[in-house]
Amino acid sequence: MAPEMAPLNLSLGVDGRLWAEDIRGSVAWAGALGAAGVLTASERDAIVEGLARVAARIEREGLGGAPEEDIHSVVERMLGEAAGPVAGKLHTGRSRNDQSSTGVRLYGMAAADDVTGELLGLLRALHGMAEQGVDAVMPGYTHMQQAQPIRAAHWALSHFFAFLRDAERVRAAKVAASVLPLGSGAIAGCPFPIDREKLRRELGFARVSENSLDAVSDRDWICDFAYAGAMLGVHLSRLGEDLVLFSSKEFGFVRLSDGYSTGSSLMPQKRNPDAAELARGKSGRLIGNLTTMLTLLKGLPTGYNRDLQEDKEALFDTVDTLLLTLPAVAGAVATAALQPERMRADMDAQLLATDLADYLVRRGVPFRTSHEVIGRLVRKAETLGVSLSELDVAALRAEHEAFQADVRGVFDWEASTDARDVAGGTSERAVRQQLAEAQERLARLAAES
């Protein structure tokens, strides 16, 4: 090989972390070859025992200094050193194509469980924050403008349900990964009577690949995983943005603990929300990994192509980034403290403008008319330099005769939230119903993981 080509050809630096999965697949393959009569019982046992010694050796010594291009070659060489010439029989009927695909799928299935486990931690933290915020009313925002009062629990649960969807996507990626390609050979299948169904059970896959040509080139499941990771990144970024804003002096709705904040190297008063900012930043690489995979696959002809060597780096980076970020964000949320008094202090009576419109609607005024009436009242309050709640009943009646003295009852934050008493709303009853639903689905996810 040309010296310029050699470093480009190497993948050991990336796929070396799959050594355990490679050995696991090889043990199963040795058993399948023995059952098919390709290996004698003693040959099979020698190979399996040799693979066990290889695993112990790598566990003890690592892969440092291995000259081979990939992990498959390293294991094959070490097996030869451990078991002798019989090691050369292990590759019978098997290609690097189905061998590699099997190993990375085994990794992906386990990684999905690991990511789900960390997601559970974040979900529990958000649920705990929501429980603390049932009685805390805060301004809800649209277009970054104060819109309507909501309970702080409602805000926390909005993030909870987004991450719950992420957990479902990660589990779906695991299901997609759980297809056995081993036995597909390079492209056309295996010429020996291998029991692929037995292989499937032994290795823990859910089903056997239907088509050998498709099996060796299918990386759809990595795209599924990368998409789940990208969406997780988006949701981590949005939560991070809320925490950055709400922990600032300008808002002050949330106080992050010292363990998840840092000071400034220059300004001693600073309390930087680094966990939230770093999570927001990590979303870029998670989205990039999905773009990498889709771009990698879009122009490939049928069958295995060496381009597919690039699949693992995107997958590994997605998993590593999530396993690094999720525990820190979960910890930041779990140790954060809501600040209900500051939330109340920041609320403007204009948050109740829609409630005023609804007051008129309940008295038979068409909503479009009431919307215009309240718009004029908002402008009047702004012109007078007073709060909307400070306009007297006479000023209100000047815009519409349907206003009565009981209109003062509209200016109540809890009453406003409790008026939204539909399923999924922000009333106390609806929020407690969401909390119960969230707890039930959290328990179900934990039980299935």
Side-chain angles (χ1 to χ4, degrees), residues 109 175 178-180 197 200 204-208:
M109 291 157 61
V175 171
S178 190
V179 180
L180 175 74
E197 182 60 27
R200 178 196 70 76
F205 287 93
R207 58 191 178 89
V208 172

Side-chain angles (χ1 to χ4, degrees), residues 133-333:
V134 172
D135 296 323
V137 179
M138 64 181 284
Y141 292 82
T142 63
H143 309 278
M144 274 308 296
Q145 307 294 314
Q146 289 197 6
Q148 291 180 294
I150 61 172
R151 294 179 183 272
H154 200 61
W155 165 72
L157 285 167
S158 73
H159 288 290
F160 177 95
F161 286 110
F163 286 114
L164 189 63
R165 293 194 298 274
D166 290 326
E168 292 166 354
R169 276 185 279 267
V170 172
R171 291 184 63 78
K174 179 183 177 181
V175 171
S178 190
V179 180
L180 175 74
L182 195 58
S184 297
I187 181 173
C190 180
F192 302 99
I194 297 298
D195 186 345
R196 297 189 70 209
E197 182 60 27
K198 185 173 182 297
L199 273 174
R200 178 196 70 76
R201 292 193 301 270
E202 183 174 350
L203 290 172
F205 287 93
R207 58 191 178 89
V208 172
S209 60
E210 300 90 343
N211 179 285
S212 61
L213 180 56
D214 174 57
V216 297
S217 60
D218 173 21
R219 299 299 187 273
D220 293 2
W221 73 270
I222 299 184
C223 292
D224 292 342
F225 207 129
Y227 172 64
M231 285 305 305
L232 240 173
V234 168
H235 292 145
L236 284 166
S237 182
R238 294 183 67 182
L239 173 60
E241 175 70 2
D242 274 4
L243 292 175
V244 168
L245 286 172
F246 289 168
S247 64
S248 68
K249 186 175 179 61
E250 288 72 17
F251 285 81
F253 297 169
V254 176
R255 182 176 177 84
L256 297 179
S257 73
D258 289 345
Y260 296 92
S261 307
T262 64
S264 164
S265 61
L266 177 66
M267 298 165 283
Q269 85 283 6
K270 288 296 294 299
R271 186 185 182 84
N272 299 327
D274 281 14
E277 292 177 1
L278 288 166
R280 193 174 58 187
K282 293 293 185 184
S283 65
R285 67 189 303 142
L286 291 166
I287 294 168
N289 289 334
L290 174 58
T291 303
T292 294
M293 283 305 305
L294 294 174
T295 306
L296 173 66
L297 297 177
K298 73 174 184 63
L300 294 184
T302 305
Y304 180 83
N305 298 270
R306 191 64 184 273
D307 314 49
L308 294 174
Q309 180 173 298
E310 294 295 310
D311 63 348
K312 298 169 192 63
E313 203 157 7
L315 174 64
F316 293 163
D317 187 72
T318 289
V319 173
D320 292 346
T321 300
L322 291 173
L323 295 182
L324 180 71
T325 308
L326 284 167
V329 176
V333 172

